[in-house]
């Protein structure tokens, strides 16, 4: 039974499509000011990395709803912050948009990964099916497009598929394309072996760089993921990349819930006095300079009638993190126990190069911070104070 707020709005926990939530009158914590901040940033390519279930997919679907010309005339934003910040915005519903979600792209072999990519790109092509028959397109491009659409694409076809589709869209509509990619790193993180991980990294480097670097068909791009993979690994040669991770200031409050938002949630669902319990269980994250709550857990908490327990930990597996846990020595594990007190001070790398991950002692803590298992507060230079953020994660750590 889905809980409802005092005014009847349901918590749509398993729904991460902004359009569906707004159409069905679901409870929505307004993050639309992200659009204004993104436009003002004026960056060609933005990469946002945050833990799983912290609103990345929902925010990308919101960007699609705002910028995509296919949704012109829709009223999804009428009562949200962005309508006050940017009334009569010429950017609204004025772009061709490609939205590519990769969070479910998990495979045990490289061939299975390629099959998954074939299906993803086939589905994307079907939304632009007219390109395969358009006489405005080069015959060779039409042939490649038909292979992509039918699921018969070669590995080479797939590597350059985004670039080719974007070029064809620009030829067809005389308009550049907004590119939105969700969970770009999922297949790398969940690779079944080191050999497969290297192959996926090589594929994704070509797949992304060809679409994002010096692409005349690109208006701008927003990419999300869990971890910031070092440029040398996957974003080689991409000089126009703006990165915002858990370590960086800016855009802080758009991923996760703020204290005021959680307090309002408790009140809207009938019991503001539960706020302190919500803080104990689900607060404690630090993104840049903002203190935030785990949104997935908070929504489950209010939806369950304020039953405090672990909700997020069962959904946030990461094969790469699990591998680091298994390889951690005893001294590393003993230090993790210390994190339950005042925490420890540690120098951290702020991006991951998978080839080096087992060499550097701080890899475990870096990945834990990126994936939502540690609170990280900057102190000086690359020194951070690390601690367990809340009761939910403390229970999970004890089980390790």
């Amino acid at each position: 039974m889905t809980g409802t707020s005092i005014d009847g709005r349901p918590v749509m926990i398993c729904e991460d499509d902004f359009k569906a939530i707004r159409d069905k009158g679901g409870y929505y914590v307004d993050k639309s000011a992200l659009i204004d901040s993104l436009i003002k940033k004026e960056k060609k390519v933005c990469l946002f990395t945050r833990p799983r279930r912290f609103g990345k997919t929902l925010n990308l679907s919101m960007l699609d709803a705002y910028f995509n010309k296919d949704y012109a005339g829709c009223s999804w934003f009428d009562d949200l912050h962005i309508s006050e910040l940017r009334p009569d915005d010429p950017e609204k519903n004025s772009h061709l948009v490609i939205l590519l979600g990769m969070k479910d792209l998990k495979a045990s072999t490289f061939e299975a990964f390629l099959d998954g990519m074939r299906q993803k790109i086939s589905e994307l092509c079907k939304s632009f099916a007219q390109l395969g028959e358009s006489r405005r397109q080069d015959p060779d491009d039409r042939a490649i497009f038909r292979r992509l659409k039918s699921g018969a694409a070669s590995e080479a076809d797939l590597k350059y598929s985004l670039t080719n589709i974007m070029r064809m869209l620009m030829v067809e509509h005389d308009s550049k394309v907004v590119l939105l990619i969700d969970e770009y790193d999922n297949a790398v993180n969940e690779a079944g072996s080191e050999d497969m991980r290297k192959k996926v990294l090589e594929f994704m480097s070509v797949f992304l760089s060809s679409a994002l670097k010096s692409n005349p068909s690109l208006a701008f791009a927003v990419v999300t993921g869990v971890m910031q993979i070092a440029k040398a690994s996957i974003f080689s040669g991409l000089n126009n990349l703006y990165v915002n991770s858990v370590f960086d200031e800016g855009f802080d409050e758009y991923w996760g819930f703020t204290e005021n938002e959680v307090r309002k949630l408790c009140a809207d669902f009938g019991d503001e006095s539960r706020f302190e319990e919500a803080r104990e269980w689900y607060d404690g994250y630090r993104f840049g300079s903002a203190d935030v709550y785990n949104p997935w857990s908070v929504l489950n908490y209010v939806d369950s009638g304020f039953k405090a327990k672990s909700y997020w930990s069962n959904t946030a597996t990461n094969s790469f993190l699990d591998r680091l846990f298994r390889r951690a020595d005893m001294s590393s594990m003993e230090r993790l126990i210390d994190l339950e007190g005042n925490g420890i001070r540690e120098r951290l790398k702020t991006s991951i190069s998978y080839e080096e991950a087992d060499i550097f002692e701080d890899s475990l803590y870096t990945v834990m911070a990126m994936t939502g298992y540690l609170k990280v507060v900057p102190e000086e230079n690359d020194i951070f104070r690390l601690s367990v953020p809340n009761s939910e994660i403390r229970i999970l750590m004890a089980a390790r």
Side-chain angles (χ1 to χ4, degrees):
M1 180 69 178
T2 302
T4 56
S5 64
I6 291 174
D7 60 3
R9 290 175 294 168
V11 178
M12 300 174 65
I13 294 171
C14 295
E15 182 60 75
D16 54 15
D17 181 11
F18 171 85
K19 300 180 289 295
I21 291 174
R22 298 295 284 169
D23 280 339
K24 297 175 183 177
Y27 193 99
Y28 177 66
V29 176
D30 189 352
K31 299 294 182 179
S32 64
L34 166 64
I35 299 165
D36 182 61
S37 297
L38 188 65
I39 292 173
K40 289 178 177 177
K41 196 68 179 177
E42 295 184 333
K43 295 295 183 180
K44 190 79 168 182
V45 182
C46 293
L47 170 62
F48 296 100
T49 61
R50 294 295 189 274
R52 291 180 178 173
R53 304 288 188 176
F54 270 73
K56 299 187 297 296
T57 301
L58 181 57
N59 277 346
L60 276 199
S61 71
M62 176 186 69
L63 296 180
D64 177 40
Y66 191 83
F67 289 109
N68 198 325
K69 67 177 186 178
D70 288 346
Y71 304 126
C74 292
S75 59
W76 296 315
F77 296 92
D78 287 357
D79 58 345
L80 300 184
H81 296 328
I82 189 62
S83 293
E84 300 173 4
L85 294 170
R86 302 184 68 84
D88 303 316
D89 183 10
E91 294 288 332
K92 185 178 180 183
N93 300 129
S94 62
H95 293 271
L96 294 167
V97 177
I98 288 177
L99 173 59
L100 182 63
M102 305 184 72
K103 66 179 180 180
D104 57 348
L105 195 60
K106 180 178 179 179
S108 57
T109 67
F110 184 63
E111 283 305 316
F113 162 76
L114 290 179
D115 286 340
M117 286 298 302
R118 288 187 182 97
Q119 182 177 351
K120 289 283 183 187
I121 299 303
S122 173
E123 291 171 358
L124 175 63
C125 288
K126 288 174 183 176
S127 64
F128 303 112
Q130 75 279 5
L131 296 178
E133 307 301 328
S134 173
R135 294 302 169 186
R136 301 186 67 179
Q137 304 296 330
D138 182 273
D140 291 339
D141 284 342
R142 291 204 305 268
I144 293 173
F145 184 88
R146 286 194 289 267
R147 290 199 298 272
L148 292 169
K149 180 172 174 287
S150 68
S154 67
E155 181 178 342
D157 289 337
L158 289 171
K159 281 182 177 179
Y160 295 96
S161 56
L162 277 182
T163 309
N164 289 334
I165 294 169
M166 292 170 70
R167 182 180 65 252
M168 294 177 74
L169 284 171
M170 187 171 179
V171 168
E172 192 72 15
H173 300 281
D174 194 26
S175 178
K176 293 185 177 183
V177 181
V178 172
L179 180 60
L180 308 174
I181 301 178
D182 190 31
E183 302 285 10
Y184 83 101
D185 58 337
N186 186 63
V188 181
N189 295 336
E190 300 297 340
S193 67
E194 287 303 302
D195 180 62
M196 179 184 169
R197 181 171 287 110
K198 290 178 182 178
K199 291 180 179 179
V200 173
L201 277 169
E202 189 275 333
F203 178 96
M204 292 301 296
S205 179
V206 177
F207 181 75
L208 291 176
S209 294
S210 63
L212 300 175
K213 179 185 176 183
S214 303
N215 182 356
S217 304
L218 178 67
F220 65 89
V222 180
V223 182
T224 71
V226 173
M227 294 194 288
Q228 179 189 341
I229 302 177
K231 282 189 178 183
S233 295
I234 203 166
F235 291 113
S236 178
L238 192 63
N239 298 319
N240 60 346
L241 178 68
Y242 166 77
V243 178
N244 185 276
S245 73
V246 297
F247 304 106
D248 301 312
E249 295 188 1
F251 296 90
D252 309 332
E253 69 275 19
Y254 302 131
W255 318 90
F257 292 162
T258 65
E259 180 173 304
N260 287 338
E261 288 167 345
V262 175
R263 190 183 295 276
K264 185 176 187 301
L265 260 164
C266 291
D268 287 347
F269 282 81
D271 195 345
E272 187 175 356
S273 68
R274 297 290 189 140
F275 169 73
E276 292 300 330
E277 184 175 58
R279 172 189 283 173
E280 176 187 345
W281 275 82
Y282 311 118
D283 187 17
Y285 294 94
R286 179 74 172 262
F287 296 162
S289 59
D291 293 317
V292 298
Y293 291 64
N294 183 319
W296 172 260
S297 295
V298 170
L299 288 175
N300 275 277
Y301 173 66
V302 300
D303 186 58
S304 69
F306 304 102
K307 294 179 181 177
K309 63 179 183 179
S310 295
Y311 294 102
W312 175 80
S313 58
N314 293 329
T315 73
T317 59
N318 182 293
S319 296
F320 188 65
L321 176 61
D322 289 342
R323 186 168 65 87
L324 288 181
F325 266 122
R326 289 194 299 270
R327 295 192 180 187
D329 57 29
M330 287 305 297
S331 62
S332 294
M333 298 309 293
E334 289 170 359
R335 296 193 77 198
L336 288 176
I337 296 174
D338 292 337
L339 297 179
E340 293 195 32
N342 295 322
I344 59 175
R345 297 177 77 246
E346 186 74 30
R347 184 181 300 277
L348 297 183
K349 294 156 61 70
T350 56
S351 65
I352 290 293
S353 175
Y354 286 97
E355 294 83 355
E356 300 175 339
D358 292 326
I359 298 175
F360 292 96
E361 293 180 357
D362 59 0
S363 291
L364 176 61
Y365 304 126
T366 298
V367 175
M368 289 181 68
M370 289 180 175
T371 53
Y373 290 87
L374 291 180
K375 178 179 183 177
V376 289
V377 179
E379 293 197 343
E380 55 183 352
N381 299 324
D382 292 328
I383 301 295
F384 296 83
R385 181 162 293 279
L386 313 179
S387 60
V388 175
N390 52 50
S391 293
E392 181 174 38
I393 301 302
R394 193 168 296 112
I395 290 170
L396 176 65
M397 294 299 299
R400 289 280 181 183

